[in-house]
Amino acid sequence: MIEKLKTILTHLENLNNHVGGEIISKEELKEQHENLHDFKKLIESLDKLLEESKTVDYNNPDSIDNNLMNIHKLMTSFEWHFSEIDDLTVTLFKNYKDSLGK
């Protein structure tokens, strides 16, 4: 998944550069590339959590609550990362055509 996100970011960067780099700042693109390091850590955390979930005590409500809360936290973190890249995509979508006219 990380490679696919890198590919998307590279594509967005190429499109942005094609119109003079005026739509998305280099800093925003750099930040998203750096965020992929955190995304990798999230995947590792998810793998660990899924392994731990195999041994969760179904009769221990506190254990189940903790497990579900950790899943929720990871899922929202994944959503945030996708949302950040999608925001850049939408920005290009809304402005690319007009930028070609310059």
Side-chain angles (χ1 to χ4, degrees), residues 5-15 17 29 33:
L5 292 175
K6 282 181 186 178
T7 301
I8 290 169
L9 284 173
T10 298
H11 178 60
L12 296 177
E13 194 167 13
N14 290 340
L15 289 169
N17 289 339
L29 289 163
H33 279 288

Side-chain angles (χ1 to χ4, degrees), residues 9 13 16-17 20-36 80 84 88:
L9 284 173
E13 194 167 13
N16 192 58
N17 289 339
E22 297 177 1
I23 299 172
I24 300 171
S25 72
K26 290 182 189 278
E27 292 80 21
E28 286 178 288
L29 289 163
K30 181 182 175 188
E31 180 180 342
Q32 291 312 313
H33 279 288
E34 291 171 355
N35 283 344
L36 292 180
W80 179 84
E84 288 291 298
L88 297 180

Side-chain angles (χ1 to χ4, degrees), residues 22-92:
E22 297 177 1
I23 299 172
I24 300 171
S25 72
K26 290 182 189 278
E27 292 80 21
E28 286 178 288
L29 289 163
K30 181 182 175 188
E31 180 180 342
Q32 291 312 313
H33 279 288
E34 291 171 355
N35 283 344
L36 292 180
H37 297 292
D38 295 334
F39 193 85
K40 181 179 179 183
K41 290 178 185 176
L42 279 175
I43 291 172
E44 293 168 0
S45 295
L46 178 61
D47 289 341
K48 181 180 176 186
L49 179 60
L50 292 175
E51 191 62 35
E52 291 170 358
S53 295
K54 292 177 182 177
T55 60
V56 71
D57 181 358
Y58 289 20
N59 294 315
N60 182 339
D62 291 336
S63 177
I64 297 298
D65 281 352
N66 186 50
N67 177 262
L68 293 173
M69 180 55 67
N70 286 329
I71 291 171
H72 173 70
K73 288 192 309 190
L74 281 172
M75 297 305 293
T76 57
S77 295
F78 280 115
E79 288 174 345
W80 179 84
H81 282 279
F82 280 100
S83 177
E84 288 291 298
I85 294 172
D86 186 51
D87 287 349
L88 297 180
T89 304
V90 170
T91 298
L92 272 169

